[in-house]
Amino acid sequence: MENAFKLDLEKIKSQARAQMQKGAMTPSYGHDREAVIATLNEVLATEIVCTLRYRNNAQVAHGIHAESVAAEFKQHAAEEQEHADLVAQRIVQLGGEPNMDPKTLAARSHAEYTTSSNLRELLQENLVAERVAVATYSEIVRWLGDRDPTTRRLMETLLEKEEEHADELASLLDAP
Ligand SMILES: [Fe+2]
Ligand SMILES: [Fe+2]
C-alpha cells in the first residue's frame, strides 16, 4: 500500500503540547500566515464597505419599486455584516488582528462605496460591487488552494453569497 495514509502521531502530539499558545495554528499549516491575514484584512475592509453602502442605499432608495429594493439592500447589508464578522474571526484564529480602522477602510476595500438618488444607479453600482467581489474572491479561493482549507471554505461560502447577491440585483434591474 504505497499511498497508505501515515501519521507521525508522536511528533504531532508533542508539537501540539509544546506550542499551545498558538491556539488553532499548528506546524501543519501549509500557507504563508502573514499573507493570508493581509488578504483577509482586504476582504474584511470590502465587507465593511459593502455593509455601509447597502445600509446607506437602503435609506436613500426612492421611486418605483423602492420598497422591494430597500428591503433587498437591508438584507444584503445584514449578510455582508455577517461576512465581516466571520472574516474577522478567522483573522484572530490565525493569530492576526482584524483591521477595522475607518481611516483606511475605503482604500483597502476591493469594492467601492457609492450612493445615488437614482434607484437604477443604486442597483447598477451594487451589481458592479458584487461582481468585483465575485472576481476577487474567486482569485483568493484559487490562491488558497489546498494550503489553508479552512480559510478557503470560508471564502467559498462568501463567494457563493456574493454570486447570489449579484443575481438578485440583476433580476431587480430587469424588473419592468
Ligand atoms: Fe459579503
Ligand atoms: Fe454581497
Side-chain angles (χ1 to χ4, degrees):
M1 280 208 298
E2 207 174 297
N3 293 315
F5 180 67
K6 290 188 205 92
L7 279 176
D8 185 348
L9 197 53
E10 283 313 310
K11 187 176 169 193
I12 289 174
K13 281 181 179 173
S14 74
Q15 281 172 338
R17 190 166 297 279
Q19 299 177 324
M20 276 194 288
Q21 79 283 359
K22 289 192 175 166
M25 293 301 299
T26 70
S28 74
Y29 185 74
H31 215 313
D32 178 340
R33 201 178 58 92
E34 295 296 328
V36 172
I37 290 168
T39 306
L40 285 181
N41 262 318
E42 287 178 24
V43 174
L44 177 60
T46 305
E47 294 295 340
I48 295 172
V49 166
C50 289
T51 304
L52 293 171
R53 193 189 57 247
Y54 277 125
R55 286 183 65 90
N56 166 276
N57 291 184
Q59 298 298 337
V60 301
H62 294 293
I64 314 165
H65 306 306
E67 267 176 37
S68 56
V69 172
E72 195 69 55
F73 287 168
K74 267 189 196 156
Q75 198 200 327
H76 286 198
E79 285 162 352
E80 311 300 15
Q81 181 64 62
E82 261 173 48
H83 291 172
D85 288 342
L86 289 168
V87 171
Q89 195 178 45
R90 183 62 183 155
I91 291 171
V92 171
Q93 250 179 18
L94 289 170
E97 195 177 326
N99 186 348
M100 302 189 191
D101 188 345
K103 283 203 293 286
T104 56
L105 220 44
R108 294 184 294 111
S109 166
H110 299 160
E112 282 176 37
Y113 178 88
T114 52
T115 187
S116 170
S117 52
N118 179 294
L119 196 61
R120 199 169 173 79
E121 253 175 47
L122 289 178
L123 284 166
Q124 279 168 343
E125 288 307 311
N126 280 293
L127 178 54
V128 169
E130 293 292 350
R131 287 172 54 80
V132 168
V134 166
T136 60
Y137 293 2
S138 301
E139 293 285 331
I140 293 170
V141 165
R142 274 194 287 276
W143 173 68
L144 289 165
D146 295 332
R147 294 178 293 178
D148 181 343
T150 307
T151 305
R152 193 194 63 224
R153 272 202 306 280
L154 168 64
M155 289 308 301
E156 283 170 346
T157 308
L158 267 57
L159 176 59
E160 193 182 331
K161 203 41 128 176
E162 312 311 359
E163 285 181 355
E164 198 182 296
H165 289 167
D167 195 47
E168 286 160 353
L169 294 167
S171 303
L172 283 166
L173 268 167
D174 281 344

